[in-house]
Structures are given as C-alpha cells and as structure tokens.
Amino acid sequence: MNKLVFKNSLKMLTVGAFVSLSALASPPLAADSFKVAVVSFLTGPAAGPFGVPGRNGAELVIDAINAGSMPAPYESAGFGGLQLEAIFADESGGNAKQVAEYRNLVEKQEVDAVLGYISSGSCMSVAPVAEELQTLTIMSVCGTPRLFEDSDWNYTFRTQAHAVGDSVAAALYIRDQLDDVKKYNGINQNYAWGQDSWKFFDIAMQQLIPETQAADNPQFPKLFSGQYGTEISTILLDDSDLVHSSFWDGDIEALVLQASVRGFFDKKKFISVAGASAVDNLGKRFPAGTVIGTRGEFGILVREQEGELNEWFINAYRERYGVYPLESSYQYAQSVLALKASMDKSVADNGTTPEKDQIISAMTGLNFTSLAGDVSFALGEGHQAVHPVGYGITAWNDEKDEPTVVDVKVYPAHCILPPPGQLSEDWLAAGMPGSDC
Amino acid sequence: MMRSILLDNTVRCVIVAFMALACIGLVLPNWILNNTMFGLARGLAVLGLLLLWRTGLISLGHSLYFGLGAYAVALLEKHTGSTDIILRLVIALTVAGVIGFFLGFVLRHYRGIFFAMLSLAFSMVLYGVLVKTEALGSTDGFSVSQTTFLGWQPASKYPLFLSIIAICIVAIIGVQFYLRSAIGYLTTSVRDNEIRVEYLGYSVARAVHIKYIISAALAGVSGALIAMSLGQVDPDSMVNWTVSGELVFITIMSGPGSVVAPFIGSITFEFLRTFAFEWAPHAWQLIVGGTLLGIIFALPEGLWSLIQRLWTKKGKVL
C-alpha cells in the first residue's frame, strides 16, 4: 500500500512539474508588439447597447492605427512604433469575477495594459488590483466620481469625464431649454453610478434652478432588473413634471418600452443621461421630444458634426459593422486614442521604445484630440479626463428615415466639473465657483 | 480513533498530495496559483454540500454562509481595519456557524425540495439586505486588502496558498473523523430509512442539524478564503442564488465518492471557467454548462468515478 501511495504522489509531482514547466515556457512577447486586453460586456443585457459597440469602436481604431490609415493627428502607424495586439474579454459576472479575470489577463495572458470597463462597479473593484499588479489600466466608460476622489491611483486612468459633468450639464440644459419644470423625480439603478448620478443632478438643480423641487420618492430599482412596472406606476401617480434617469444598457430600452405603452412620455418630460444607445436601437419606438445626453461629444449627438476624424470614424464604422457608432464606440475609441497619444509622446520624450512607466508619465496630465473634441487629463492628479458634455432633444428625421437629435447644446468642461484639487460635493455645495455658463 | 484516521488511506494520500502541491506552488506561475487557491477554497464549501448530499439533502442556499464568510472579512476590515488571517477566519467561521446553528432548527425538519427551497429563501434574504443597504456596499460590495499574518504582510500570495492548503487538510481530516463517528455513520442511514434510525435510538433531526452546522461553517470559511485570495466581495458573486447553483454544480461534477472529490472538481471547474472565458468570451457559459451535461451523461458518479476507475485498473496491474 505504501508503495502505491508513493507511486501516486510521485506521479502527481511529475504531472504538476510538467504543468508548471509548460506554463513557464510560454514564449515571451515579441519586442515590437504591445498587448492590450479590451474588456467590455460581451454577454448579458449590456452587451447589445454598450459592450459590443464599445468593443467594435476599440477594434476599428486599433486596426486603423496599426495600419497607419487614420486621419491626422493620428496618421502615424503603430503606438509609439509598436503594433498593438488586442484581446477581447467579457465584463459580465459581477465585480469579484472581474477581479479574478483581471488577474488572469495580467498574470496568465501577460497583457501590457488593460483598457475598457463600462460598469462603475467593475472600475471600483479593478482599480485596487491594478495597483497591486502594477498594470496600466485605462477606464473607458464608467462614471462614478468616487474612483479618483476617494483614492489616488498610480496605474489607473479614466478617459471619460465623471458623473458630476453629466449631471450638471443636464441641469444646465434644463435651465436653458425647458420651461415649466417645477418638480422633478428620478429613476436610477441602485449602485454607485445610479446613486451618484441622482445625487449630483439633485444638487445641481437646486443650485441652478432653486425654484424647482425634488420629489421625495426617487426610485432605485436594481441594476439589470428589466421590469419597472412598480416604479413607473409610482412616478406616474406623483405631480412631478420631469423625470431624470441615468439608466443605460438594456435597462433603458426596457424602461422606455414599458413606460411608453402606459402614456408615460405624454405626461412627463424625460431626461436620459446615458440612454442614447436606445435611440438608435429602438428607432421609432423611442419617444420624440426626450432630452438625451451621451456623456460627452459622442454618438448620436455628434453624428452631423463636421471634422475629418469624426467623419472618418462614422464612415469606417458603418462600412465595417453596418450600423452607426454608438456612444460607447466613441468612449472606447477615446481610450485607444489616449494610449496612442501617450505612447507617441513617450517616444518623442525619451527616444526609446515606450515602457510602462514612461507611458504613465506621458499620459499623466496629457491633452489629446478625440474623435469629435478635445480631452485633457486634468483631474485626479492628471489621471481623470475632462471634456465637454452635451444634450439634445430626440426627433425623427423623415428624410433619412432615422432618429436624430435637435437643439444640441454642448457645455465646456469648466462649467460642469470641479477644478483640480476640489471634491465634487464641496464644489457643488459651494455653488459651483468658476462655472459661468 | 485519531490513530485510525491518520492510518486512513485517503487521509494519507491527501496529505502527501497536498504537500506535493505546496512544493509545486513555489514554482507555479501566479495565475495557476490563483486559480488553484480559488479552487481549493471553493472546494471547502463543496465538501460541506457533499456531506448534505450523502444524506440526500441538496441545499440551494449555501451562498448564504459563503457570503456571510466573505462579508465578515470585508466588514471586519472596514470597521476595525484588521486584515489578520486568524481573526478573519475565526470571525467568518463563527458568524457562519452561529447562523447555521439557528437556521438549522428550522431546516432540520424539511427534506427534498422543501429543504432546497427554504435554504434558497434564506440566502435570498441576505442578498436582498445587502443589495438594498448602502452601508453594506449595496451592489458594488467592498475591496478586501491583502491578508496579513500576525502583522507580517508578505509580498507574494504563497503564504496564503500554504494557509489554504493547511486549512483544507484540517477540514478533510475533520470531516473524515466525523464520518467515522457514530453520528457520521448515520449519514447514509438517514437517507435510506429515517424511521429505522429513530427506532435505533438516534435523533434524525439532531444528526441533520449537526451536519448542517458543519456544512455552514465550511461554506463560511470557504467564502472568507475566496474573499482573501480575490480581494473583492460583492453580492452577485458571493450571495446570489447563482453562487449556490455553482456550488451544487461543482458538487455534482465532483461526485459523492470521496472527501477529496470536491477539491478535484472545484479546481477543475476553476480552470475550465478560466479557459472557456479566454477562448470564447462570447459563449463561455455555454462551454461550462455543456461540460456539466457531458459529465452527467458520461460519468453519472462525477469526476471522482473516473479517478476511481483508473485507480482500480492500475491496482489490478500492480
């Protein structure tokens, strides 16, 4: 029997050693490529409206830059001379799953950088691990200001302005474009992004239009719950005339469809902070006259905007994927452009093939050109981007038989975001000093 | 008794195999080490489910204890700042064990689908509370800092890996010890004929209750270890019914044959998921589900039966 035990343990040892050796023997990265994981929702309710368009936006721009076929200022081929090798990963399955997968991406697939993340939950949970594993991580879409206001990160950047900008721009747009708003209510998802979005919208409204009043029963259904009958009933029964929502993903489509059939949009004005994907996906079923934003100069808001980079992006995207680029396509592309700009800058500064620390110092505080506007890493010690945010009103374009937005107004970054060094809540409470729009 | 346990073939093999694993751990790349840690840690919860399963009980709510263990670690750190491994494990074990003790009074009277659904209901109560309460992290959960060992903060994951191995060995010996005790021998008898067990002078309710507490405590420790090796807790990955489902999935995949089976099944599951995720990011769930179907059809007694078959074949040759 002892012999058997010994033989088996010997066998286990051999197998284990073999497994570990074969894993150690995986070939090192070729010197002229830079491996990046692009993480977005590829399954689940957020895949259609956000994940897949985001992934496609990144893929299109990465391929174009590798080939050197993008317009100025990104006409040079490669990222600081390196070819970028992208692998795509799924963001579904919860925060803990994302943390586990992040570790796999860095330690198993040995990526040089990770780019993406849509949910604020993913961003908040991945940032500490990025720090632990010392890996450059560029967040593309998530919005919670807590990411850089609660902590300082050395390895994490975010190319999307945070939720305060979206909320303040929403309040400014309501002040400038809508009459007769006396009372407002909200329906937001019960997690960091939804809670923050409502909180900042409420404070901004009180600062900008003090005569309005918030309803005392804002609704917070669970993220991805898909059924909003109770919340719609509750809001329909109160006397608010405007409803704020930061819904995104499949939830905004579900909400709009379920609310439309109950005449919701005839009774209430509706402002959607991040639901522009639904305008394209639902077509004529999306109610005209809704205020929508895209959290920046992205998507349907800049579809008619002139500019070589923007027009190239829209045409190339349509040619390759058959549909218009959505908000998240722009947001992911913006992260790729940030990486390109800093890797090129790193080469210009150091004259050598860019390395992690050089890219990070090049990216810190960088100003770069995005597809339809300029972006600068002004907040969070140079790690959090700021850019203008716009809103418009949905309408149907009969001529082209497609949805469009009218009365677009874009608010510059200094009007909607706190200056460096100031926390969002303090800035809002102080009456938004410096905001002169 | 203790002597006979240590002479037990399974226990001896386990100790040798785990020692070997501990040595290999020194040279394993980080990602294999990580996945092995997750697998071993989750295996503890599966071991608890296996105990229940041998009595004919399936719990669809063990994410309750798994989540309690994980959240105990996170909340301990949030409120006291402590990241010590012993404190973390003790509090996770205590919380899960105590809640298991009280809920056991209710659950020990139910069998079959009623037992499964009632445990599911209890776990979803915790899920609801966590999701709705901002002070408990709501749907975002908390980050968990790296574990310290009596004030020492190691630079690598290896000390935590060793601790998990040690805990697994202790758990396996403990469970084996329990199964060899009088109350443990009731395991299959309760499944086969409860009335006869009662006539023999044993309390079936008490036997089930003890079993339930053991499985709850194991799930609690399992959750705590996962939280420590992962660095994150959140309701969807720790407490939702899908987590209980996953545990039952691994239990069925492993098979009821041996106390070692849960660990083999759970490590297999961890690697299966990692590779499925890497190869098919659009359809990884399909691969994981398809594999379970395949195992149920081809190996109704689970992965363990495969190992057993190979083992006996070799025994004959020897």
Side-chain angles (χ1 to χ4, degrees):
Chain A
M1 199 61 238
N2 275 326
K3 216 172 165 184
L4 189 72
V5 173
F6 178 70
K7 269 209 147 159
N8 275 297
S9 41
L10 203 67
K11 198 173 169 191
M12 267 183 209
L13 269 172
T14 328
V15 171
F18 179 73
V19 168
S20 45
L21 277 180
S22 58
L24 284 173
S26 55
L29 274 178
D32 56 349
S33 88
F34 189 83
K35 195 170 175 185
V36 170
V38 177
V39 187
S40 70
F41 287 98
L42 299 177
T43 61
F50 267 81
V52 174
R55 174 208 175 279
N56 292 348
E59 184 183 48
L60 179 74
V61 173
I62 289 171
D63 288 353
I65 293 177
N66 278 340
S69 61
M70 254 185 94
Y74 297 110
E75 68 281 8
S76 66
F79 294 73
L82 298 176
Q83 288 288 300
L84 197 142
E85 183 197 340
I87 53 170
F88 298 95
D90 187 11
E91 196 182 330
S92 308
N95 299 346
K97 172 100 175 66
Q98 278 318 301
V99 170
E101 286 315 322
Y102 183 92
R103 289 184 189 280
N104 272 330
L105 289 172
V106 175
E107 292 182 331
K108 175 163 186 295
Q109 311 215 43
E110 297 178 337
V111 297
D112 298 299
V114 181
L115 180 153
Y117 294 109
I118 294 172
S119 163
S120 292
S122 312
C123 290
M124 294 291 286
S125 51
V126 159
V129 192
E131 214 66 9
E132 182 195 325
L133 301 179
Q134 306 189 343
T135 304
L136 171 63
T137 303
I138 307 171
M139 310 289 190
S140 302
V141 180
C142 57
T144 179
R146 299 178 211 173
L147 183 61
F148 286 100
E149 293 192 353
D150 288 358
S151 342
D152 285 328
W153 306 115
N154 295 316
Y155 293 91
T156 299
F157 289 81
R158 178 161 60 186
T159 48
Q160 164 70 48
H162 61 64
V164 172
D166 309 316
S167 296
V168 175
L172 283 167
Y173 192 86
I174 292 166
R175 185 197 66 189
D176 294 346
Q177 301 293 110
L178 300 187
D179 309 322
D180 308 329
V181 174
K182 291 186 188 68
K183 195 169 181 181
Y184 54 92
N185 205 337
I187 173 165
N188 294 285
Q189 292 143 333
N190 191 18
Y191 77 120
W193 158 252
Q195 292 155 0
D196 289 350
S197 217
W198 168 254
K199 182 170 77 184
F200 296 127
F201 175 73
D202 189 20
I203 305 176
M205 285 294 280
Q206 291 308 315
Q207 294 284 357
L208 291 165
I209 328 175
E211 61 274 21
T212 58
Q213 191 196 349
D216 54 9
N217 58 345
Q219 301 293 307
F220 287 99
K222 188 178 166 317
L223 175 66
F224 299 149
S225 78
Q227 291 296 329
Y228 306 103
T230 1
E231 288 83 8
I232 294 167
S233 303
T234 313
I235 295 180
L236 274 175
L237 286 172
D238 73 15
D239 56 350
S240 59
D241 36 35
L242 173 82
V243 178
H244 164 273
S245 179
S246 62
F247 272 35
W248 55 283
D249 72 87
D251 290 9
I252 179 71
E253 295 176 26
L255 175 70
V256 164
L257 290 175
Q258 289 162 25
S260 292
V261 291
R262 300 177 59 180
F264 188 88
F265 299 103
D266 303 329
K267 295 186 189 114
K268 312 267 180 188
K269 294 191 181 84
F270 189 66
I271 179 158
S272 165
V273 175
S277 60
V279 179
D280 279 296
N281 287 346
L282 294 181
K284 274 196 168 155
R285 288 177 296 170
F286 195 96
T290 302
V291 182
I292 60 141
T294 53
R295 306 190 53 219
E297 291 164 294
F298 307 136
I300 194 167
L301 227 53
V302 293
R303 200 160 284 166
E304 310 294 330
Q305 188 174 311
E306 288 173 1
E308 198 186 356
L309 215 47
N310 188 36
E311 286 165 22
W312 168 84
F313 186 63
I314 295 174
N315 292 331
Y317 192 99
R318 287 194 79 184
E319 201 173 301
R320 181 155 173 186
Y321 304 107
V323 287
Y324 278 115
L326 299 183
E327 172 186 337
S328 62
S329 318
Y330 278 78
Q331 287 165 318
Y332 271 77
Q334 182 156 303
S335 294
V336 176
L337 294 180
L339 186 61
K340 157 91 174 153
S342 16
M343 288 177 79
D344 287 356
K345 179 166 182 275
S346 162
V347 172
D349 290 350
N350 305 297
T352 51
T353 306
E355 281 170 21
K356 181 170 69 185
D357 294 337
Q358 297 169 343
I359 301 173
I360 288 174
S361 67
M363 196 179 285
T364 307
L366 179 79
N367 300 311
F368 67 100
T369 308
S370 187
L371 296 167
D374 291 329
V375 182
S376 79
F377 284 106
L379 299 178
E381 309 284 329
H383 287 239
Q384 165 67 57
V386 301
H387 52 72
V389 173
Y391 280 85
I393 291 179
T394 55
W396 190 259
N397 184 337
D398 285 322
E399 209 175 298
K400 287 188 178 168
D401 199 32
E402 61 183 34
T404 183
V405 283
V406 294
D407 299 334
V408 173
K409 281 195 79 139
V410 175
Y411 297 96
H414 76 271
C415 286
I416 55 174
L417 287 158
Q422 201 161 9
L423 291 180
S424 297
E425 277 188 68
D426 300 343
W427 180 70
L428 285 164
M432 304 188 283
S435 166
D436 53 2
C437 293
Chain B
M1 184 74 196
M2 197 60 213
R3 203 178 123 81
S4 70
I5 284 294
L6 286 177
L7 288 174
D8 180 299
N9 191 22
T10 317
V11 169
R12 269 166 33 178
C13 280
V14 163
I15 293 180
V16 173
F18 275 78
M19 294 294 178
L21 195 60
C23 297
I24 297 169
L26 279 171
V27 294
L28 282 182
N30 263 333
W31 72 271
I32 298 185
L33 196 70
N34 271 333
N35 280 312
T36 313
M37 283 199 310
F38 298 151
L40 290 174
R42 207 182 299 272
L44 287 170
V46 179
L47 181 63
L49 283 182
L50 176 123
L51 281 182
L52 288 174
W53 192 20
R54 282 196 177 179
T55 316
L57 294 171
I58 286 195
S59 163
L60 288 180
H62 259 51
S63 60
L64 170 66
Y65 304 107
F66 189 78
L68 280 173
Y71 269 80
V73 167
L75 290 172
L76 173 76
E77 184 188 336
K78 187 166 180 255
H79 293 293
T80 69
S82 169
T83 55
D84 187 69
I85 184 163
I86 296 174
L87 218 56
R88 282 179 162 184
L89 286 173
V90 167
I91 196 154
L93 182 79
T94 317
V95 170
V98 168
I99 304 274
F101 172 72
F102 285 112
L103 291 185
F105 284 107
V106 182
L107 283 161
R108 68 189 201 175
H109 299 299
Y110 295 89
R111 301 289 180 269
I113 188 74
F114 305 103
F115 179 84
M117 296 315 283
L118 200 57
S119 34
L120 173 67
F122 284 128
S123 78
M124 289 313 281
V125 169
L126 177 67
Y127 179 75
V129 169
L130 289 176
V131 162
K132 295 275 176 203
T133 319
E134 241 189 292
L136 294 175
S138 189
T139 41
D140 290 333
F142 301 109
S143 288
V144 174
S145 305
Q146 278 161 284
T147 307
T148 52
F149 298 79
L150 299 171
W152 171 57
Q153 164 105 55
S156 84
K157 280 271 165 92
Y158 189 69
L160 183 60
F161 178 68
L162 275 189
S163 319
I164 293 180
I165 286 187
I167 293 165
C168 288
I169 293 179
V170 171
I172 288 178
I173 293 178
V175 166
Q176 198 75 342
F177 194 75
Y178 161 79
L179 286 175
R180 296 287 152 84
S181 67
I183 197 102
Y185 275 120
L186 291 178
T187 299
T188 38
S189 340
V190 169
R191 184 190 62 201
D192 293 340
N193 195 331
E194 287 195 16
I195 297 171
R196 188 170 290 173
V197 172
E198 292 273 349
Y199 271 99
L200 287 171
Y202 291 101
S203 160
V204 169
R206 194 158 158 263
V208 171
H209 197 162
I210 290 175
K211 197 178 290 292
Y212 189 76
I213 297 171
I214 295 177
S215 74
L218 283 171
V221 172
S222 165
L225 290 175
I226 291 265
M228 282 188 250
S229 33
L230 196 59
Q232 173 77 23
V233 300
D234 76 284
D236 276 305
S237 323
M238 302 288 183
V239 196
N240 202 4
W241 65 269
T242 49
V243 180
S244 305
E246 211 167 76
L247 293 175
V248 173
F249 177 120
I250 304 171
T251 315
I252 296 172
M253 194 170 107
S254 316
S258 159
V259 285
V260 192
F263 298 93
I264 295 172
S266 163
I267 292 176
T268 312
F269 175 78
E270 213 59 56
F271 281 96
L272 172 72
R273 190 162 67 170
T274 303
F275 281 107
F277 196 80
E278 186 181 328
W279 290 333
H282 291 270
W284 58 275
Q285 291 105 329
L286 194 74
I287 296 182
V288 175
T291 310
L292 179 67
L293 273 184
I295 288 176
I296 289 177
F297 282 125
L299 301 166
E301 292 289 295
L303 281 178
W304 181 251
S305 63
L306 186 71
I307 294 167
Q308 223 169 8
R309 225 181 291 168
L310 294 176
W311 192 287
T312 39
K313 221 181 238 172
K314 221 178 84 183
K316 269 175 202 158
V317 176
L318 280 171

